[in-house]
C-alpha cells in the first residue's frame, strides 16, 4: 500500500510518500516541502499548493491520501491559512479519485511513538527509525507528513486485521 | 464588469453573480446556494463544492471573483469547515485564471449599507434594493454572496476612479 501524507500549511506544506503493509516495516518513497511566499496573494499561494500536490499525486500514484486535521487552538493568525491549505490538500486527493483520511495530531503521534502527547523530536526520531533512514528527514514538516502516512498504513492495517478477525469469528460461528 | 461573489460555507455556500460598473446600478445575473451533506466525508463535500463552483465560473464567465474572508472569532466547531470551503472557493477562481479578491464581512456591510456593523436583514434589504429585485434573495447566504459581488464592483470602481484622478493630476502637473 502506498500512501501520500500531507502536513498542511500555507507557508510550508509537508508531503511524505511511504509504502508498506500493516505490521511490516515501511519504506520511504520520498518527501517534499511545498513553500509559498507569504508576500504573495492568497489565490496565487493556494494555486501553487494545488498544482504541486496534484503533480506529486500524479508522480507517485498513491492508493490513498492522509491529511492532518486542523484545530483552532493553534495560533489564530495562521490557523485560517492552515485550514485553507488543508482544504486544498483534501481536495487534491479527492480530485484524483483517491480515498482521503484525516487524522488528529495525537492520533499520528500515538501511532508512531505510542504516546499521543509526544514532542516533535520524538516523532522525527521514530519516523527516522521506522523508515530505516540514516538521518532524520528535515524540515519537521516533512517528518510529520511521513508520520501521517505511516499512521494511515498501520491504522488501516489494524482495521483490516480487526475486520478479518470479525469475519473469521462469524465463519467459525456458522460451522 | 461581471463579478462572482462567494460567501463560503461547507454546509451552505452562497454564490452571487452581478454585473455592473462603478457608480452605476448593478444587475443581477443569478444566485445559487451549494449544499453539501454534513454526514458525508469531508473529501466528498469539498469535491462537490469545487465541482459546483467550477461549473458556475464556466457558465457565467465572470471577470473576477470576490470571496468573504473567514475569521476565527466565529463558532469554533464550524470555522475550520468554513475556512476549508473558502480555500476551495479562492482556488476555483485562481484555477480559472481569474483575479480573486477577499473582503472582510465589515467591508462588505459598509459597501452596501454604509455601516460596517449592519445586521443581516439590513444587508439583505439593501441588496434587494440595489439590484432592483421584487423580493429579497433567499437564503441569506445568497444575499451575502450578492453583497460581496456588489462590494467588489464598487470598490474596484472607487479604486479605478482614484487611479484615474491621480493620473489626471499628474498630467496636469506635467503641463
Amino acid at each position: 500500500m502506498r500512501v501520500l501524507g500531507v502536513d498542511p500549511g500555507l507557508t510550508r506544506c509537508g508531503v511524505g510518500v511511504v509504502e508498506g503493509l500493516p505490521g511490516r516495516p515501511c519504506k520511504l518513497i520520498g518527501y517534499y516541502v511545498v513553500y509559498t511566499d507569504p508576500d504573495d496573494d492568497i489565490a496565487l499561494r493556494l494555486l501553487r499548493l494545488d498544482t504541486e500536490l496534484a503533480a506529486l499525486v500524479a508522480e507517485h500514484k498513491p492508493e490513498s491520501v492522509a491529511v492532518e486535521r486542523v484545530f483552532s487552538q493553534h495560533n489564530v493568525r495562521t490557523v485560517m491559512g492552515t485550514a485553507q491549505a488543508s482544504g486544498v490538500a483534501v481536495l487534491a486527493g479527492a480530485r484524483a479519485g483517491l480515498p482521503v483520511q484525516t487524522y488528529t495530531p495525537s492520533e499520528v503521534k500515538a501511532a508512531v511513538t505510542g504516546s499521543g502527547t509526544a514532542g516533535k523530536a520524538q516523532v522525527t526520531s521514530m519516523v527516522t527509525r521506522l523508515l530505516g533512514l540514516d538521518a532524520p528527514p528535515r524540515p519537521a514538516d516533512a517528518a510529520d507528513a511521513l508520520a501521517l502516512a505511516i499512521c494511515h498504513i498501520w491504522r488501516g492495517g489494524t482495521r483490516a486485521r480487526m475486520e478479518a478477525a470479525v469475519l473469521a469469528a462469524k465463519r467459525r460461528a456458522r460451522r
Side-chain angles (χ1 to χ4, degrees), chain A:
Chain A
M1 173 157 74
R2 183 177 282 200
V3 177
L4 185 138
V6 182
D7 180 30
L10 198 48
T11 302
R12 290 187 313 277
C13 181
V15 180
V17 188
V18 173
E19 218 167 66
L21 287 170
R24 302 260 204 99
C26 291
K27 189 183 150 200
L28 171 71
I29 304 296
Y31 62 85
Y32 312 85
V33 177
V34 179
Y35 296 92
T36 78
D37 187 341
D39 292 334
D40 271 353
D41 196 77
I42 178 72
L44 276 182
R45 299 179 76 183
L46 293 176
L47 185 61
R48 176 164 155 71
L49 183 58
D50 176 63
T51 308
E52 297 289 335
L53 291 177
L56 288 171
V57 166
E59 178 185 343
H60 291 294
K61 300 178 179 57
E63 284 149 86
S64 54
V65 172
V67 180
E68 189 168 293
R69 209 172 293 169
V70 181
F71 285 100
S72 51
Q73 49 260 48
H74 287 56
N75 181 342
V76 168
R77 279 288 301 157
T78 61
V79 75
M80 288 299 127
T82 307
Q84 291 180 313
S86 84
V88 168
V90 168
L91 184 62
R95 276 183 32 227
L98 301 174
V100 180
Q101 184 76 46
T102 60
Y103 294 100
T104 65
S106 42
E107 284 174 321
V108 176
K109 287 171 185 172
V112 299
T113 74
S115 160
T117 58
K120 283 239 171 218
Q122 202 181 336
V123 170
T124 300
S125 150
M126 281 307 292
V127 164
T128 310
R129 194 186 307 174
L130 293 169
L131 295 176
L133 308 180
D134 293 331
R138 292 269 177 250
D141 312 76
D144 285 347
L146 291 168
L148 265 155
I150 296 170
C151 167
H152 185 65
I153 291 171
W154 286 4
R155 291 190 46 138
T158 309
R159 209 176 303 141
R161 280 201 304 280
M162 281 176 62
E163 281 164 8
V166 168
L167 268 178
K170 279 186 184 161
R171 262 190 228 112
R172 276 196 301 275
R174 254 187 248 122
R175 273 178 208 154

